[in-house]
Amino acid sequence: MRIRWWGCALAAGCTWLASGCFASGSDGRAHGAPAASAPSTPPIAPPASPVTGPVEGCALLTAEQVRDTLGATRVTTYAEDNGRTCVFLGADDVRVLTVRVGDLPRALLGGPEQVVLLAASPAELTEPVPGLADAAVFYSDRRRGSGVTFARGRGERVTSVDIEASGPNAQSPRDTLVHLARLANAALP
């Protein structure tokens, strides 16, 4: 018991002594501390943390990319839902494509595989798209149209992107939508 008391007293005394010898001034430098020299080796950078900010739908595809891929004559865009959704309009302001971005905690929905299956679940036909993000699915439905949804794990979050063809392009071919999805995935931070 007496040894533990002496150990605590010694630790408290050293802490008190060090705090008095190296008191900081208003400029933030420690007074009484030896001059700092440059480290001989560069400091090790902390590991990069995954990007966890909101992603805007219109940042993933440009109007030109959509126009060229769909073969449209003119394409314009506007954002909805605080930027998470990007609507692409073709000639006569008819919706031709919609890009929706979701970013949710992994604990809520599971991993990327579960997220893409959930997004594509109401469709009549779903096909996996290998080599796109962490998980991707092409879907097609007579009422809903066709699209590609893909997801990427970002630390404790999962970011999903749904690219849905609309209007005259509602039944766009799989290869066309997969090409747009690959462009969007490349733009995803």
Side-chain angles (χ1 to χ4, degrees), residues 2-189:
R2 184 170 272 182
I3 294 173
R4 188 169 23 184
W5 182 86
W6 279 106
C8 290
L10 182 61
C14 288
T15 304
W16 173 78
L17 180 61
S19 66
C21 291
F22 299 109
S24 297
S26 61
D27 62 354
R29 292 184 338 160
H31 298 293
S37 61
S40 60
T41 59
I44 298 173
S49 60
V51 178
T52 59
V55 177
E56 294 187 359
C58 290
L60 300 180
L61 289 174
T62 66
E64 293 77 22
Q65 289 171 323
V66 172
R67 181 194 68 216
D68 295 346
T69 302
L70 295 179
T73 55
R74 177 181 70 91
V75 172
T76 59
T77 65
Y78 70 90
E80 292 180 336
D81 196 22
N82 293 327
R84 292 185 303 181
T85 300
C86 188
V87 177
F88 293 85
L89 303 174
D92 300 326
D93 293 329
V94 173
R95 185 183 294 226
V96 295
L97 194 78
T98 305
V99 176
R100 290 179 191 86
V101 179
D103 187 52
L104 295 168
R106 185 182 292 267
L108 184 63
L109 292 175
E113 298 82 12
Q114 291 83 8
V115 171
V116 297
L117 291 175
L118 181 63
S121 65
E124 295 170 348
L125 168 73
T126 60
E127 297 174 7
V129 179
L132 175 59
D134 291 339
V137 172
F138 167 79
Y139 60 86
S140 181
D141 191 272
R142 285 185 300 248
R143 290 178 292 118
R144 184 176 173 193
S146 57
V148 172
T149 184
F150 66 90
R152 189 189 299 173
R154 295 170 54 183
E156 293 301 315
R157 302 190 70 77
V158 174
T159 298
S160 65
V161 178
D162 184 40
I163 300 174
E164 184 177 69
S166 307
N169 296 307
Q171 299 301 324
S172 289
R174 180 183 191 272
D175 292 343
T176 300
L177 294 172
V178 168
H179 174 72
L180 289 171
R182 290 192 191 285
L183 292 172
N185 183 47
L188 191 64

